[in-house]
Amino acid sequence: MSVVTPCESSTVGVVGKGFISILCAKLAAVAGYRSWLLVPPGQDETIAALISDKSLPIELIQSTDSDLVDIKLSETDALMIAVDDDSTMDEEVIKYILNPDSSRNVKRVVAMSRNLNGSNMGFLVKASKLSANAEVWDNSNCEDYKKFEDVIKRQSSAVGADYTIVRAGTLKGGACGENPVLSQYLSTKFYELTKKDIVTWQLLFDCNVRGAKLTRGDSMPGPGLKAIFTATATEACDGDSSRCAVAEAMVKSLTVEETSNIDFSVSTQNARYPPTNEQWEQLLTSL
């Protein structure tokens, strides 16, 4: 079982889309890895504002610069794949970044997937996605995610790497909260970009839901009959996952042997502060 420990010579690459991928890249750098993030053209300024801390060893790589991407892949020890919306990473992209010729040093692949068991899903969950929060996970893309997981496992094996699949429900929050004391997360720019009212519920969620629960396998339930009320709820609810906790779990899993070649789910827990490094280790080694 392979682990990738933080040090100046350990490189973590992040490929994905949206806030969760930026958060993964930032937390990897905070943890002590050299980090790079594949970005679409024209997004550098916004992403830099979300990261905020210019001292962190994060390199933004243009997705159009194939030569530099190949160089980075050859230097990378771990790859993280995370997409913020309901879509999955294209199979050809996964095959490209997990190619035995280019990714010959990759030891661990950590991919964010979704809760696919279908528990407590249904009409009301789909209705909440349409009427209250377009980011609600309603299991409508289940088959694509199953195929995505199969590709992750197959290509990880092809490059000789272990895989870890981290499952999420409806992603909420992702930034530093009302006071930037938790500066390891995204900056307050996140709240500017997601604000839809005088006070953004994403900010309130981040202030209230810093805890995390981890469960091995695909066992996390959806919101069920309460879906319309929990869609933008600012406390811990079934079917929800904190972006901060999901990204933390992805990064922290790199150093834990017990997370090799397994999948686990991340659910919410009310708390004003996130788990400590010791608590994260206990959560992950207990899976």
Side-chain angles (χ1 to χ4, degrees):
M1 295 182 180
S2 299
V3 298
V4 181
T5 54
C7 64
E8 291 183 358
S9 61
S10 291
T11 299
V12 173
V14 182
V15 179
K17 181 169 62 173
F19 297 118
I20 189 68
S21 62
I22 304 168
L23 187 51
C24 284
K26 182 172 184 179
L27 286 173
V30 169
Y33 299 99
R34 288 188 302 167
S35 172
W36 60 265
L37 173 66
L38 202 62
V39 301
Q43 293 295 310
D44 297 55
E45 186 175 338
T46 299
I47 292 172
L50 286 163
I51 293 171
S52 182
D53 189 345
K54 296 181 180 179
S55 68
L56 290 173
I58 305 174
E59 188 173 357
L60 304 184
I61 307 296
Q62 296 295 318
S63 57
T64 53
D65 192 344
S66 58
D67 289 339
L68 183 55
V69 171
D70 287 343
I71 291 171
K72 287 299 173 183
L73 287 172
S74 69
E75 300 171 349
T76 297
D77 299 286
L79 273 168
M80 294 194 289
I81 301 169
V83 175
D84 213 89
D85 60 24
D86 288 357
S87 64
T88 61
M89 183 63 61
D90 184 85
E91 181 174 346
E92 293 307 311
V93 174
I94 299 172
K95 289 179 177 179
Y96 179 81
I97 62 174
L98 289 175
N99 184 307
D101 294 329
S102 56
S103 301
R104 49 190 174 272
N105 292 318
V106 173
K107 304 174 187 68
R108 182 75 74 92
V109 178
V110 183
M112 192 200 90
S113 185
R114 297 285 186 160
N115 304 313
L116 306 178
N117 60 72
S119 174
N120 283 358
M121 292 293 182
F123 171 75
L124 290 177
V125 181
K126 294 182 184 299
S128 72
K129 182 179 182 70
L130 292 172
S131 62
N133 179 6
E135 296 182 343
V136 165
W137 170 247
D138 64 354
N139 212 37
S140 59
N141 204 19
C142 177
E143 292 306 314
D144 284 350
Y145 267 96
K146 288 180 179 179
K147 293 176 184 176
F148 165 75
E149 292 179 15
D150 288 341
V151 176
I152 290 294
K153 293 175 182 178
R154 184 170 66 248
Q155 292 306 121
S156 296
S157 177
V159 299
D162 291 343
Y163 71 84
T164 304
I165 292 174
V166 181
R167 300 188 182 281
T170 297
L171 291 171
K172 292 183 175 181
C176 56
E178 57 186 340
N179 296 312
V181 291
L182 298 175
S183 58
Q184 68 266 42
Y185 302 128
L186 299 180
S187 73
T188 54
K189 179 71 173 178
F190 171 81
Y191 303 124
E192 295 177 26
L193 294 173
T194 59
K195 187 174 181 179
K196 293 181 173 63
D197 209 332
I198 295 174
V199 178
T200 171
W201 65 265
Q202 302 268 15
L203 168 60
L204 298 176
F205 177 88
D206 275 337
C207 292
N208 296 330
V209 191
R210 291 297 188 187
K213 295 179 182 178
L214 307 185
T215 309
R216 185 161 181 166
D218 184 11
S219 57
M220 181 174 157
L225 298 176
K226 298 179 180 179
I228 196 69
F229 304 106
T230 63
T232 57
T234 57
E235 67 276 347
C237 297
D238 283 348
D240 290 347
S241 299
S242 161
R243 279 188 185 86
C244 295
V246 171
E248 287 268 29
M250 293 178 72
V251 174
K252 302 291 189 189
S253 70
L254 293 173
T255 64
V256 178
E257 287 187 356
E258 287 84 351
T259 61
S260 289
N261 301 323
I262 69 166
D263 65 298
F264 64 88
S265 304
V266 181
S267 54
T268 52
Q269 182 169 319
N270 292 327
R272 295 290 290 179
Y273 292 95
T276 63
N277 288 335
E278 292 75 17
Q279 289 169 331
W280 272 115
E281 184 176 5
Q282 183 177 8
L283 286 168
L284 290 163
T285 54
S286 299
L287 289 169

